[in-house]
Amino acid sequence: MKIRLKNYFYILGIYIFIGIPLAYSRFPDTRNELKYFIIVKRMIEEKSLFVLKYFSQLYPDKPPLYFWFLRVGRFLSEEKFTFIAIVLGSLIPAMIFTLLFYKFLKKFIEEKRAFEISIFLCTLPYFMGVSVFIRMDMLMNLFIFSSLYLFFSFYYFETSISRGRLILFYTSIFLAIFTKGIVGIAIPMITTLFFLVAEKNIGFLKKIKFTRGISLIFSLVGIWFYLIYRSSQGAEYISLLLGQETVGRIVNSKAHSRGIYYYLIQLPLIFSPYIFMILGIFIYYLKRLKRFKEWEKLEKIGFSYIFPSFIMLSLASGKLAIYLLPLFPGVVILMYYILKYKEKDRLLNLLYEVTIRINFPSYFLIKYRKNRGIFEIFVISNICILVLLLGGLNYYNQNYTLEPFVQLIDKIPDKVEAYRFDDYRNFEYFSNYKIDNYEDIKEISKGYFMVRNKYKKEIEKMHPQLIYENREYSLYSISEVSK
């Protein structure tokens, strides 16, 4: 079997033997993942494809494509919906992305290094974690990378430019928009424009029919909006979509509004345990920015992938750590070069040594298995971390999620309401009744109530009976007598 075919199977094996067990073992997050389940349930009930609703409220926060994937998952199996939703919406897109990334890297560096970098990326704890989470970010990441894969192939291998590939390039950008909105076009556009300006070759836009391509994207968006307009409450939905979900998220986000420094604080978590290597990337390449034209091709790609988009995302009002996911390809590309140059730069070598010492598996492997390459060592270290996470997932589910409450609540003959726990309304997906959330303790008379433990002291003043609790949530029964 050829080496390249083996490598593709190794990448598939990572997702089969690590990703699938993680996906199967996870219990969905109450705030976001169960919320998406409610939205899918409403889609099915109202037979709506383009206008999304969260309970009775319009939900213009996200485009519909990802929810179509979830809808297919629910059709395949309602009982195993969580697992299938993760596989269809996140794990398979992550796997396809990694295979494409490997194929892309082989255009610029030797196959062995391309494989090591690709495996390193997909085993990064945060990246794999997002791959087994019910969110649309990984699907959008796939479409963004597909568009940039084509763009850089056009630029460095002009013979690949064809009408069909150009249509695929611009359609990929539209699909990124159709998955998560304006960021789907912002990242590929700012990356390509920054790269061409830095290369002093803005005229290349003519070769990729830029004006026609943007027209195609807006035509597809126009068709999408027309289909929304023809739906029930379509005009109101479009108004919300163009207001709070475009300009609003950029200028004054209704949720996740953070300071400009937010992502700098999040970097240690996102790229743990390689944060010092990431620091080296910032320092090394910003110092050499004036010599951009002298860099290797892949260095230029990696830098263009990271820095303009990082600045753009930092300036936007709405921020979450997961929004940095599309920047991961550029980060690991430049990590490859940082490791390559570390022997010639004292600061890079120091940051590398610190990284090795805080990453115990890597330190151990380097000390006792000196014949292994550094990326191979990092991959083994990442896998060790992922195995530990998998081993502790059942403990996490039992102690920090609502999983142990599912069957328990199902056996209670009465409604189980919520006290100061609005996200618990999403538990309606598992029940056949409407759940109310009480914000004022005076409104409670009797019944069963779920509460987050940080508010349990308030409800305990009513002398309730504790039914069950874990480290995060508690279920109480309150009678009129105890009050």
Side-chain angles (χ1 to χ4, degrees):
M1 185 183 292
K2 292 183 178 180
I3 293 177
R4 65 180 62 182
L5 191 57
K6 277 186 178 180
N7 290 345
Y8 284 114
F9 280 115
Y10 284 140
I11 292 171
L12 290 175
I14 291 291
Y15 286 102
I16 291 172
F17 294 107
I18 296 180
I20 286 183
L22 282 169
Y24 189 81
S25 303
R26 282 198 63 245
F27 184 79
D29 167 70
T30 310
R31 172 164 294 181
N32 293 303
E33 294 175 293
L34 287 184
K35 182 178 187 178
Y36 293 165
F37 289 4
I38 295 291
I39 294 168
V40 171
K41 188 177 180 181
R42 289 305 304 271
M43 285 179 70
I44 295 170
E45 290 172 351
E46 299 196 358
K47 299 179 180 179
S48 173
L49 287 175
F50 297 98
V51 174
L52 306 178
K53 285 187 177 181
Y54 176 54
F55 294 111
S56 60
Q57 296 179 334
L58 292 175
Y59 184 78
D61 299 45
K62 305 292 187 297
L65 181 60
Y66 180 74
F67 294 97
W68 294 356
F69 279 79
L70 299 188
R71 189 169 179 173
V72 170
R74 195 174 189 274
F75 173 77
L76 292 174
S77 175
E78 189 171 343
E79 183 182 354
K80 299 294 183 182
F81 177 42
T82 300
F83 172 67
I84 295 175
I86 293 173
V87 171
L88 288 179
S90 296
L91 199 61
I92 290 178
M95 180 183 67
I96 296 171
F97 161 81
T98 307
L99 294 172
L100 279 177
F101 185 58
Y102 169 53
K103 185 178 180 182
F104 176 73
L105 291 178
K106 289 195 298 178
K107 293 175 179 285
F108 300 94
I109 56 178
E110 60 181 287
E111 188 173 40
K112 181 179 179 182
R113 300 299 173 223
F115 174 68
E116 289 175 349
I117 296 170
S118 301
I119 287 288
F120 172 73
L121 172 59
C122 73
T123 58
L124 278 170
Y126 191 84
F127 188 90
M128 181 59 75
V130 175
S131 302
V132 294
F133 207 82
I134 301 175
R135 279 189 69 99
M136 61 285 300
D137 297 81
M138 188 58 75
L139 184 63
M140 179 191 68
N141 186 44
L142 171 61
F143 292 131
I144 287 175
F145 179 75
S146 298
S147 67
L148 291 173
Y149 178 110
L150 288 166
F151 168 76
F152 288 115
S153 297
F154 294 155
Y155 189 83
Y156 286 113
F157 312 98
E158 289 191 24
T159 53
S160 66
I161 299 178
S162 66
R163 184 179 180 183
R165 288 192 178 95
L166 286 172
I167 291 174
L168 184 58
F169 168 56
Y170 291 108
T171 302
S172 295
I173 295 175
F174 165 72
L175 290 174
I177 300 171
F178 201 41
T179 303
K180 202 175 177 182
I182 194 169
V183 71
I185 188 173
I187 290 178
M189 285 296 101
I190 199 171
T191 301
T192 56
L193 292 174
F194 174 88
F195 176 81
L196 292 176
V197 169
E199 281 281 276
K200 298 179 181 178
N201 191 11
I202 200 71
F204 186 75
L205 292 175
K206 292 182 180 180
K207 294 184 178 181
I208 59 173
K209 316 293 183 187
F210 185 74
T211 303
R212 292 183 185 179
I214 294 298
S215 298
L216 172 62
I217 292 171
F218 280 104
S219 296
L220 293 171
V221 171
I223 294 171
W224 168 30
F225 276 38
Y226 173 72
L227 293 171
I228 294 175
Y229 184 77
R230 293 198 60 180
S231 304
S232 175
Q233 296 181 276
E236 182 183 357
Y237 195 86
I238 290 174
S239 177
L240 291 171
L241 188 63
L242 292 176
Q244 68 185 41
E245 298 310 320
T246 50
V247 177
R249 280 186 179 268
I250 297 170
V251 179
N252 185 23
S253 179
K254 67 177 183 179
H256 317 309
S257 181
R258 323 276 188 181
I260 194 172
Y261 53 83
Y262 175 76
Y263 287 125
L264 292 174
I265 296 173
Q266 293 297 307
L267 287 177
L269 169 66
I270 299 170
F271 293 107
S272 178
Y274 304 100
I275 181 56
F276 288 98
M277 299 293 294
I278 309 305
L279 180 62
I281 289 174
F282 277 85
I283 296 171
Y284 186 76
Y285 282 99
L286 287 174
K287 284 169 58 178
R288 298 175 66 236
L289 185 56
K290 291 182 179 179
R291 298 164 58 190
F292 185 88
K293 292 283 288 184
E294 302 173 13
W295 298 359
E296 292 187 25
K297 294 175 182 178
L298 201 55
E299 283 183 285
K300 296 177 182 179
I301 292 172
F303 186 88
S304 300
Y305 222 121
I306 298 173
F307 284 88
S309 293
F310 184 82
I311 293 170
M312 176 196 69
L313 292 169
S314 295
L315 292 174
S317 174
K319 297 180 183 70
L320 282 176
I322 200 171
Y323 294 171
L324 293 183
L325 181 66
L327 278 56
F328 270 63
V331 169
V332 297
I333 285 172
L334 294 189
M335 273 192 68
Y336 163 72
Y337 284 100
I338 289 296
L339 291 170
K340 185 177 178 181
Y341 299 146
K342 67 181 176 63
E343 299 301 332
K344 300 177 183 179
D345 189 291
R346 295 175 66 180
L347 177 60
L348 293 184
N349 194 58
L350 174 62
L351 294 172
Y352 163 76
E353 292 294 336
V354 174
T355 299
I356 292 300
R357 278 164 173 73
I358 64 174
N359 186 0
F360 178 75
S362 295
Y363 179 75
F364 179 83
L365 287 167
I366 288 173
K367 187 174 182 179
Y368 295 101
R369 302 295 296 274
K370 295 183 179 180
N371 59 322
R372 293 186 180 274
I374 186 59
F375 261 111
E376 185 181 358
I377 287 172
F378 281 167
V379 168
I380 296 172
S381 174
N382 290 345
I383 291 175
C384 289
I385 294 171
L386 291 172
V387 170
L388 288 173
L389 291 175
L390 179 60
L393 199 53
N394 182 63
Y395 176 84
Y396 179 83
N397 286 339
Q398 292 299 313
N399 289 277
Y400 294 96
T401 76
L402 288 175
E403 183 179 44
F405 295 90
V406 175
Q407 294 183 348
L408 184 65
I409 291 173
D410 191 50
K411 295 176 182 178
I412 294 175
D414 298 323
K415 291 173 61 176
V416 177
E417 309 285 16
Y419 173 65
R420 299 189 69 176
F421 186 13
D422 192 53
D423 293 333
Y424 178 70
R425 290 191 307 150
N426 297 329
F427 219 68
E428 275 189 31
Y429 183 80
F430 296 109
S431 66
N432 297 315
Y433 53 79
K434 183 178 181 297
I435 295 172
D436 293 317
N437 176 53
Y438 295 87
E439 293 291 336
D440 189 345
I441 196 73
K442 296 177 181 178
E443 296 176 353
I444 295 177
S445 59
K446 66 176 181 177
Y448 293 88
F449 292 89
M450 280 293 306
V451 61
R452 287 178 292 177
N453 285 348
K454 65 178 180 179
Y455 297 121
K456 62 186 293 185
K457 289 184 179 180
E458 297 177 21
I459 207 167
E460 284 175 351
K461 293 176 182 178
M462 303 186 71
H463 308 292
Q465 177 187 356
L466 177 64
I467 305 299
Y468 187 83
E469 68 175 343
N470 62 12
R471 293 180 180 273
E472 193 69 25
Y473 309 106
S474 296
L475 173 61
Y476 289 100
S477 171
I478 301 177
S479 67
E480 288 184 307
V481 176
S482 64
K483 185 179 178 181

